[in-house]
Amino acid sequence: MEKEKINITNKLGLHARAAAKLSHLANNFNSNIFLLFNGDRVNAKSLLGILTLAASVGNDIIIEAEGEDESEAVSGIKELFEKKFDEES
Amino acid sequence: MKKLKGKPVSQGIVIGKATILKSHSDIALKENLEKSAVPLELKRFNNALRTTRLQLKKIYKNLQQVMGKDSSLIIESQSMLLNDTRLIDEITDKIRTNRVNSEWAIKEVSKKYLDFFSNIKDLSFREKGNDIADILGRITENLSKSSKSEDQEIENVILVADDLTPSTAASLMSKGKLLGIILNNGGETSHTVILARTLGIPTILETGNATDEITNDDTLIVDGLDGEIIVNPKDQYIAKTRIKIEKYNAHKKRLKKIIKLPDITKDKKEFKLMANIELPFESDLVHSYGASGIGLFRTEFLFMDPEIALFEEEQYLIYKNIAQKIYPENVTIRTFDIGRDKGTKYFKTGNERNPALGTMAVRLFLKEEKIFRTQIKSIIRANENGNIKILFPMITEIEEIHTIKKIMEEITDELRSEKKLPLHRIQTGIMIEIPGTIKLIKHLKDEIDFYSVGSNDLIQYLLAVERDNSSLSYLFNPYQPSVIENLFEIREETEKIGKPVTICGEIAGKPLTALMLLGMGYTNFSMNPLSIAEVKRVFTNVHFSRIRKIVKKLPEFDSKSKSEEFLIESMLRIYPEMFIKQPFF
């Protein structure tokens, strides 16, 4: 299992569009991927799941992946967070 | 025969049969299922789900064609939710384990998320609950429509409903088979309105109780000019309406010719008639209305989708597209005029005792700077052709202007360093809506490039009369001596400092008040685009010098009725033809 803590840096946090990008990306991997925040654990492949976290800028969030491509999954998702979901140029 | 009243938002008159559209999700009842019935129920749910997905795909495509890419965002996010396994699993789990009917399972899940999202502090998440409820409501509707299809039921009828969600409005109207639309409510219906106008469907909103007063197959007259609905009219009334429809059509034809005439009075005084618009899509129509550009683009609609309001790129594209479409004419973009009645749900303005005198418009945004900055930045950035002007509403004191200008300078520097700054300097204007602001004009020579008079608010604040309070509408009157004098003063003050002024608001779009304004010296008018042709007809048939002489006498009168009577009598004396022949306005 691969695990990593990430800080949300895009201004709007995990709102609908960022959540959609994230779930799209997660669906490209075979591993089971979860997001942990505030005591909640949601499937990263579900848009609704991500939305219910209501995670905002400044929050820390944990990505957890388990499966054949777990390390690619975590690093791919981490990259998406780091480039702020391509929202801010 | 009975009469109902509402707010007309799309013109035209029509006679037809009523069809009531009931929302199924509200009336779902719980049914407990036998264990053996569960697989069949799951199948029923999955069929409805599939139908909904197909519908949404079609709506999305239609909507993109009619309204452009920017406006289909709502449907896009709904369609993603519909494909979300967690949401769908939650419903099917409920059907399976609780052994309940699909309608009930949907209702429970829908309620859960409405509650959940309404409790989130972060504003941009709030609307998600409604999105989920809207989309699940569609599945419920499809569950009960196993035999009849939406298309067969609703054709060549007048639709009567409580409210229309954006997806339902789009699906019903993009087929173009509705004769008219009547809604009890209509708060969040900008999509409905613009589609109705585009397709020429007479529409009346805010009737309050139309769905109770009207039953299926009632004969209705929908008068989208006066906002009147006649339920089961008498024969002679129908005959009268037919004549009115004929006249209206002839009138429309005549106006089409008029919009092609040059914008000058008989004695060669030039004037300019511009359009007020609310939705980006309307910029396509501006030309066909005969408008010389857009004098007021209200941006409040962007708050329908907080994600547009919050993103620079989205807004920039919307503004840029509009500016390109109407080039070489200008578009004046007014920053968010939120607070009071409009769009407050995204902001906590506190429970103010008197919102009309409270934290709104620029006052609100100087507190919520993030959103304000995003909007200003998008507007400045979009000014690539130099035909965008920026307009700030509800200015009270010069300090606000200084703060805004400082923000604009910072943003200009930001854009410069990002290499996104256009060559053209943007012209900056303020609204004159608060009577006290008139006294500021003489101090603003070097600060402000242009002025815009919001007559509805100006009257409201001058007379201390709420503009929508129907029991006080006798007071809310543009011929009140104070209103006349202040309008004169604004014109004189702006002329003294050599800055242009535009008048927008209802009085700009009504022939008699527009003539009064012309006589006061106003030459720039911005109005509901549907009024342009009529005002143009009147203006091209009068002599500015004669109107001026008449209007100059108005300050002598001590009451609204004396002023109005004098104005009407004088006009009828010199131009007897002009008003008598026009039954519609």
Side-chain angles (χ1 to χ4, degrees):
Chain A
M1 187 171 68
E2 196 82 8
K3 222 177 187 178
E4 180 129 15
K5 189 159 92 179
I6 294 178
N7 185 260
I8 300 175
T9 54
N10 66 315
K11 280 190 226 155
L12 291 152
L14 289 180
H15 58 86
R17 200 155 325 168
K21 279 186 187 167
L22 178 53
S23 71
H24 270 305
L25 179 65
N27 276 299
N28 289 336
F29 300 104
N30 293 324
S31 301
N32 289 321
I33 309 169
F34 294 95
L35 302 177
L36 282 73
F37 173 65
N38 230 353
D40 281 331
R41 184 168 185 268
V42 301
N43 187 341
K45 295 183 182 179
S46 161
L47 168 64
L48 185 64
I50 302 171
L51 282 175
T52 57
L53 291 180
S56 308
V57 61
N59 290 144
D60 281 331
I61 199 165
I62 293 169
I63 312 169
E64 201 183 273
E66 185 155 26
E68 50 192 72
D69 51 3
E70 55 188 38
S71 57
E72 289 93 332
V74 170
S75 63
I77 289 171
K78 194 178 159 198
E79 200 190 319
L80 186 65
F81 274 90
E82 276 166 359
K83 56 180 192 179
K84 301 184 183 187
F85 298 87
D86 294 323
E87 278 161 12
E88 293 148 44
S89 38
Chain B
M1 175 168 141
K2 60 188 161 190
K3 281 187 189 180
L4 307 174
K5 269 286 207 185
K7 181 178 163 197
V9 292
S10 173
Q11 289 196 325
I13 312 162
V14 72
I15 306 172
K17 295 274 185 203
T19 288
I20 316 258
L21 186 77
K22 283 230 162 69
S23 154
H24 295 281
S25 46
D26 298 336
I27 47 169
L29 295 175
K30 185 172 179 177
E31 284 172 39
N32 292 310
L33 304 174
E34 294 291 321
K35 198 176 175 188
S36 57
V38 169
L40 212 66
E41 187 63 24
L42 285 170
K43 203 172 162 197
R44 192 168 84 94
F45 173 76
N46 281 319
N47 282 337
L49 179 62
R50 196 171 325 121
T51 312
T52 312
R53 281 187 184 139
L54 286 174
Q55 274 173 355
L56 220 61
K57 218 178 246 174
K58 221 160 82 185
I59 294 168
Y60 183 62
K61 229 170 94 189
N62 288 340
L63 200 62
Q64 271 199 327
Q65 268 168 13
V66 187
M67 301 189 64
K69 194 168 169 277
D70 311 326
S71 312
S72 350
L73 283 171
I74 293 175
I75 306 292
E76 199 179 345
S77 99
Q78 288 191 345
S79 119
M80 284 192 314
L81 287 167
L82 206 52
N83 288 308
D84 194 275
T85 43
R86 167 165 163 176
L87 185 64
I88 303 307
D89 286 351
E90 232 172 291
I91 297 167
T92 49
D93 280 353
K94 266 205 165 35
I95 298 172
R96 207 176 289 130
T97 44
N98 299 356
R99 287 197 222 150
V100 290
N101 54 329
S102 313
E103 285 88 344
W104 188 254
I106 290 172
K107 191 181 173 178
E108 291 216 316
V109 172
S110 183
K111 194 177 167 299
K112 175 184 151 189
Y113 284 106
L114 270 176
D115 290 348
F116 179 84
F117 283 106
S118 68
N119 285 323
I120 289 182
K121 260 186 265 136
D122 192 326
L123 302 164
S124 56
F125 288 102
R126 294 257 172 90
E127 272 299 275
K128 294 301 155 230
N130 290 335
D131 273 357
I132 293 170
D134 182 13
I135 195 63
L136 292 182
R138 287 193 74 82
I139 306 179
T140 308
E141 277 166 35
N142 286 323
L143 281 166
S144 58
K145 268 192 313 229
S146 43
S147 54
K148 274 193 272 174
S149 84
E150 208 170 51
D151 313 52
Q152 286 163 344
E153 278 176 77
I154 297 172
E155 194 171 338
N156 292 321
V157 293
I158 294 164
L159 184 80
V160 186
D162 188 42
D163 213 336
L164 282 181
T165 61
S167 65
T168 313
S171 97
L172 290 173
M173 278 192 277
S174 54
K175 293 175 201 142
K177 288 174 187 163
L178 291 183
L179 294 179
I181 298 168
I182 301 167
L183 300 183
N184 290 351
N185 300 314
E188 303 285 320
T189 42
S190 317
H191 272 97
T192 316
V193 173
I194 190 56
L195 278 169
R197 275 196 203 156
T198 315
L199 302 168
I201 303 171
T203 301
I204 299 179
L205 310 179
E206 294 169 28
T207 56
N209 57 351
T211 48
D212 301 329
E213 299 284 337
I214 299 169
T215 40
N216 272 325
D217 290 325
D218 275 350
T219 299
L220 301 179
I221 295 174
V222 179
D223 188 332
L225 304 174
D226 303 333
E228 204 170 69
I229 302 145
I230 318 272
V231 187
N232 294 322
K234 291 184 189 126
D235 286 350
Q236 77 239 45
Y237 210 94
I238 294 185
K240 233 163 74 188
T241 305
R242 292 229 149 88
I243 296 170
K244 196 173 174 185
I245 293 175
E246 241 167 69
K247 278 191 180 171
Y248 175 68
N249 289 338
H251 178 70
K252 264 201 332 205
K253 235 186 240 164
R254 215 165 39 238
L255 291 182
K256 257 198 188 128
K257 279 186 207 149
I258 287 164
I259 60 172
K260 294 188 183 117
L261 299 172
D263 293 322
I264 45 169
T265 61
K266 280 215 179 293
D267 53 350
K268 304 273 187 280
K269 176 84 173 173
E270 283 181 35
F271 56 84
K272 195 168 181 179
L273 308 182
M274 296 167 280
N276 295 346
I277 70 165
E278 286 183 50
L279 292 166
F281 172 76
E282 285 181 284
S283 59
D284 286 338
L285 303 174
V286 163
H287 225 72
S288 66
Y289 291 131
S292 308
I294 298 165
L296 178 64
F297 174 35
R298 302 185 171 101
T299 52
E300 289 80 62
F301 96 97
L302 295 172
F303 270 79
M304 278 192 346
D305 187 341
E307 289 189 27
I308 298 183
L310 300 168
F311 280 98
E312 180 194 323
E313 196 67 25
E314 253 81 25
Q315 281 191 57
Y316 156 74
L317 285 175
I318 290 174
Y319 302 143
K320 194 178 101 170
N321 282 342
I322 294 177
Q324 270 172 351
K325 267 180 206 155
I326 63 151
Y327 186 84
E329 303 287 358
N330 292 322
V331 52
T332 300
I333 303 176
R334 185 176 71 187
T335 60
F336 298 133
D337 188 2
I338 302 234
R340 289 173 285 178
D341 48 339
K342 294 170 257 183
T344 33
K345 66 181 167 189
Y346 297 113
F347 294 99
K348 287 229 174 82
T349 47
N351 285 329
E352 295 184 325
R353 276 176 57 190
N354 199 336
L357 304 177
T359 313
M360 54 182 166
V362 160
R363 300 173 186 176
L364 177 65
F365 283 102
L366 289 174
K367 290 187 179 157
E368 294 268 352
E369 254 194 50
K370 188 174 116 188
I371 293 171
F372 198 42
R373 278 176 183 269
T374 307
Q375 187 178 33
I376 295 174
K377 194 171 175 188
S378 322
I379 295 173
I380 296 180
R381 190 182 153 199
N383 191 27
E384 287 165 13
N385 294 315
N387 64 335
I388 293 180
K389 300 178 185 185
I390 190 167
L391 176 64
F392 296 96
M394 283 290 162
I395 296 294
T396 318
E397 54 169 24
I398 200 163
E399 283 80 356
E400 287 168 341
I401 296 173
H402 291 154
T403 312
I404 289 169
K405 295 201 90 173
K406 193 173 145 261
I407 292 176
M408 286 179 73
E409 271 167 34
E410 286 165 16
I411 288 171
T412 305
D413 289 341
E414 236 174 272
L415 282 169
R416 190 177 293 120
S417 66
E418 291 167 17
K419 304 215 186 316
K420 291 193 281 197
L421 185 69
L423 289 171
H424 305 271
R425 190 188 82 90
I426 197 158
Q427 286 198 30
T428 306
I430 60 166
M431 296 281 295
I432 304 286
E433 299 160 287
I434 300 168
T437 313
I438 300 171
K439 304 294 177 194
L440 268 186
I441 298 174
K442 60 170 167 288
H443 302 293
L444 299 177
K445 190 172 187 301
D446 302 320
E447 310 271 353
I448 293 299
D449 301 308
F450 68 97
Y451 296 84
S452 189
V453 182
S455 61
N456 298 351
D457 273 325
L458 184 69
I459 296 174
Q460 151 163 304
Y461 291 122
L462 258 175
L463 305 174
V465 178
E466 192 198 314
R467 52 203 250 193
D468 298 320
N469 186 335
S470 52
S471 69
L472 293 178
S473 58
Y474 69 98
L475 289 173
F476 191 95
N477 186 301
Y479 302 107
Q480 296 277 16
S482 60
V483 177
I484 289 177
E485 206 163 302
N486 277 281
L487 287 170
F488 263 114
E489 192 182 346
I490 296 170
R491 183 65 199 113
E492 282 156 13
E493 287 299 304
T494 49
E495 199 157 21
K496 269 188 221 158
I497 58 166
K499 292 288 154 74
V501 58
T502 297
I503 184 130
C504 49
E506 262 167 63
I507 60 171
K510 295 205 169 126
L512 196 62
T513 42
L515 280 173
M516 174 173 85
L517 292 161
L518 183 72
M520 289 172 171
Y522 289 92
T523 51
N524 298 321
F525 296 74
S526 193
M527 64 193 79
N528 177 341
L530 297 170
S531 307
I532 288 175
E534 177 60 10
V535 172
K536 188 159 179 178
R537 181 185 70 84
V538 173
F539 279 13
T540 48
N541 276 300
V542 298
H543 301 77
F544 170 69
S545 54
R546 291 184 195 172
I547 303 291
R548 187 157 185 80
K549 234 182 245 163
I550 296 166
V551 172
K552 278 210 156 150
K553 290 204 179 115
L554 289 178
E556 291 167 23
F557 299 102
D558 62 4
S559 82
K560 59 178 190 220
S561 34
K562 284 182 198 162
S563 289
E564 186 173 9
E565 267 165 42
F566 171 74
L567 198 58
I568 292 175
E569 271 170 26
S570 315
M571 293 300 168
L572 285 177
R573 206 173 49 244
I574 0 177
Y575 305 109
E577 299 287 290
M578 206 161 57
F579 292 100
I580 294 163
K581 278 190 182 167
Q582 298 302 322
F584 285 106
F585 292 92

